[in-house]
Amino acid sequence: MGEIMVTVKEMKELERQADTKGLSYLQMMENAGKAAVEQLLAKRPMIRTVSIFCGKGNNGGDGLVMAR
């Protein structure tokens, strides 16, 4: 899978557009957390214990989804 780089400003606009088209911020957070877990498990399939630290910033919710 290739990497796509976007700025914070670009990502906020992409998220705003997605929300306008019916994809809620809550669903985006769920999708991001799920994708992050999938990437972690793809790279470390035998992992059984992880620590996830969530701040109060924009990625905190994604981390909470990962932990769940």
Side-chain angles (χ1 to χ4, degrees):
M1 177 187 230
E3 292 184 29
I4 299 172
M5 303 294 282
V6 296
T7 66
V8 172
K9 183 178 178 181
E10 290 168 334
M11 182 54 71
K12 286 185 180 197
E13 178 58 20
L14 289 169
E15 290 174 341
R16 187 196 65 74
Q17 289 175 19
D19 180 61
T20 299
K21 293 178 180 171
L23 182 61
S24 72
Y25 285 97
L26 179 60
Q27 188 59 56
M28 285 184 251
M29 180 178 60
E30 290 287 332
N31 294 348
K34 182 177 181 273
V37 166
E38 289 170 355
Q39 287 293 307
L40 173 63
L41 293 175
K43 291 180 181 189
R44 303 288 296 272
M46 300 303 288
I47 197 166
R48 294 293 173 251
T49 303
V50 298
S51 296
I52 299 174
F53 298 88
C54 302
K56 58 184 178 179
N58 289 339
N59 292 325
D62 303 353
L64 292 175
V65 170
M66 288 182 73
R68 188 182 68 229

